[in-house]
Amino acid sequence: MKRIDEEIRKMKQELGSSLVIPAHHYEMDEIVELADFLGDSYKLAKDCSQTEAEYIVFGGVSFMAEGAALLAKDHQKVLLPDRSAGCPMAKMIDAERAGKVYGEISKRCDREIIPMVYMNSYADMKAFCGARGGAVCTSSNSVKIVKHYLDAGKAVFFAPDYNLGVNTANALGIKKEELVTVKRDLSLEGGDPATAKMFLWDGFCYVHTTFTTGDVDRLRKQYPDIRIIVHPECDASLVDIADHSGSTAMIYNTVRDAPPGTTWGIGTEYRFVERMAKEFTDKTIVPLRESICRDMSKITLDKLAASLRSVSKAARGEESVLDCVTVPGEYQKDARIALQRMIDIVEANI
Ligand code: 13P
Ligand code: SF4
């Protein structure tokens, strides 16, 4: 075992139940091995909302840590070992631009439009949705939450991931002409705004938009029995020809529960695919191609150890200032409402 790894384990032991380390599936193996819980964005948000630990040191990117900070109780502190670990897609929209286009489309649409934002966003956007009756969603529940609003006779303004929006619309049988794309210069394309059911912001994830239908064709030629599973941040043309699509947790569980001897081609972050290949040795697991999330890789053992050293000092009363993830006060209430609304809809409390 590496020295740094030993030091982290020792600090974890000393801090006991006052510390939790949640980690996303895309984190590097050495971080995942030290995590207390692992999951997709929804599971991480929910598990964080249920822990009583005083210190939450997040293995993930800033929107995830911010989500944990929003759901945290007064005595809890959230740390991200590298504050620059972000998500380029989350930055592709902000409340100011959303407000401008929301006013415009609301005037043009026959139905009331509810704004819905992917978890991969910052607190200003979550607050924008919370204040207007909308909710956060993740890739594991976007279909359920969009359906919730459509069933109530509303239209949905969905941001920032265009592909997740289209894939959600397709899963719900929404027609192409009922979709309007909102370009980042705020122009509108596609269907008629008056009768549209979904307005989709045109953000994207560079990790998932590198996969092509050609990758699937190549693997199907190489492995005739292969089953293809992709994340819904991939283009709809890939989701269409894949055997399954879903969140990282859904991908993990599907591959884990598949019969031994099966072969899987996976369209999501490469390190996660590699880890499944090492864990499920009774199956053949291959990536569609090697596509890495550079921000998830910013959480290294050294940075995790540095965060835990400051937490240990704070717990001993030797350090009073911790570099905690905080949410500007103006966004807290409404962003929390949007996050809690997601949890309530998913857990069927409303
Ligand atoms: P999941 O919610 O499926 O884990 O996705 C998070 C993410 O950032 C995928 O790129
Ligand atoms: Fe953001 Fe894409 Fe990385 Fe997910 S994989 S955190 S969407 S950049």
Side-chain angles (χ1 to χ4, degrees):
M1 203 189 295
K2 283 192 222 148
R3 270 237 309 270
I4 190 99
D5 191 285
E6 266 171 41
E7 185 196 348
I8 292 172
R9 284 180 197 278
K10 189 160 171 277
M11 287 190 281
K12 276 191 70 175
Q13 206 174 11
E14 282 164 6
L15 286 158
S17 61
S18 68
L19 168 76
V20 287
I21 304 179
H24 187 262
H25 286 294
Y26 295 164
E27 286 299 312
M28 293 191 283
D29 290 359
E30 53 264 44
I31 302 296
V32 168
E33 277 160 26
L34 289 161
D36 295 298
F37 45 86
L38 178 68
D40 63 4
S41 312
Y42 181 70
K43 183 176 184 297
L44 292 175
K46 202 171 146 232
D47 287 354
C48 284
S49 76
Q50 287 170 352
T51 180
E52 287 300 325
E54 187 175 349
Y55 304 101
I56 301 172
V57 180
F58 220 104
V61 289
S62 55
F63 74 80
M64 296 175 176
E66 202 181 70
L70 277 166
L71 294 168
K73 299 166 192 91
D74 287 348
H75 71 286
Q76 294 180 309
K77 297 168 190 71
V78 179
L79 286 88
L80 184 64
D82 184 333
R83 296 294 295 273
S84 77
C87 167
M89 182 214 283
K91 283 200 206 137
M92 290 178 188
I93 190 161
D94 55 65
E96 197 188 323
R97 280 183 302 157
K100 277 187 196 153
V101 81
Y102 181 70
E104 177 62 29
I105 57 179
S106 292
K107 277 188 239 150
R108 294 177 64 182
C109 187
D110 296 344
R111 303 165 171 229
E112 183 191 353
I113 305 175
I114 300 294
M116 245 181 85
V117 71
Y118 193 21
M119 186 74 182
N120 301 36
S121 60
Y122 292 108
D124 63 330
M125 272 308 295
K126 291 186 173 82
F128 179 85
C129 293
R132 290 163 181 80
V136 173
C137 73
T138 72
S139 59
S140 70
N141 55 41
S142 58
V143 172
K144 187 166 189 178
I145 299 179
V146 171
K147 185 173 183 304
H148 169 86
Y149 289 117
L150 295 184
D151 286 353
K154 320 281 186 196
V156 167
F157 170 38
F158 189 94
D161 190 29
Y162 176 81
N163 285 346
L164 180 63
V166 171
N167 290 321
T168 302
N170 289 345
L172 287 166
I174 297 174
K175 296 187 205 94
K176 204 167 174 261
E177 55 275 21
E178 294 171 326
L179 295 178
V180 171
T181 306
V182 182
K183 308 298 281 183
R184 269 175 282 155
D185 64 5
L186 307 190
S187 61
L188 305 182
E189 264 181 16
D192 178 359
T195 53
K197 288 192 175 159
M198 282 183 85
F199 294 82
L200 310 175
W201 192 257
D202 75 340
F204 66 92
C205 163
Y206 71 92
V207 179
H208 289 88
T209 45
T210 53
F211 304 121
T212 66
T213 54
D215 296 331
V216 174
D217 295 344
R218 176 177 43 79
L219 287 180
R220 282 193 168 138
K221 275 196 194 103
Q222 203 176 340
Y223 306 95
D225 292 330
I226 199 166
R227 299 191 70 75
I228 303 291
I229 185 164
V230 300
H231 194 277
E233 287 175 14
C234 293
D235 191 87
S237 60
L238 260 128
V239 173
D240 275 357
I241 62 168
D243 298 289
H244 313 268
S245 79
S247 77
T248 54
M250 182 273 188
I251 293 174
Y252 182 89
N253 294 340
T254 304
V255 175
R256 180 196 60 198
D257 299 341
T262 48
T263 302
W264 291 88
I266 305 184
T268 192
E269 211 271 347
Y270 176 63
R271 258 189 315 254
F272 171 43
V273 180
E274 283 292 274
R275 189 161 54 249
M276 285 189 282
K278 280 186 254 162
E279 188 176 346
F280 307 127
T281 48
D282 58 341
K283 289 149 207 164
T284 303
I285 294 170
V286 290
L288 256 54
R289 65 169 71 203
E290 294 178 21
S291 188
I292 285 182
C293 177
R294 291 188 287 272
D295 282 271
M296 291 280 184
S297 323
K298 287 183 178 174
I299 310 300
T300 59
L301 279 184
D302 284 339
K303 290 176 200 163
L304 177 61
S307 285
L308 294 186
R309 279 183 211 118
S310 62
V311 165
S312 297
K313 277 191 187 168
R316 290 196 300 267
E318 292 165 21
E319 185 164 310
S320 53
V321 188
L322 274 177
D323 181 23
C324 294
V325 175
T326 53
V327 177
E330 64 193 292
Y331 303 132
Q332 280 176 15
K333 181 173 143 276
D334 290 330
R336 220 171 265 145
I337 288 173
L339 266 173
Q340 192 56 50
R341 207 170 263 144
M342 165 179 75
I343 297 175
D344 288 347
I345 295 171
V346 172
E347 308 297 322
N349 293 336
I350 56 172

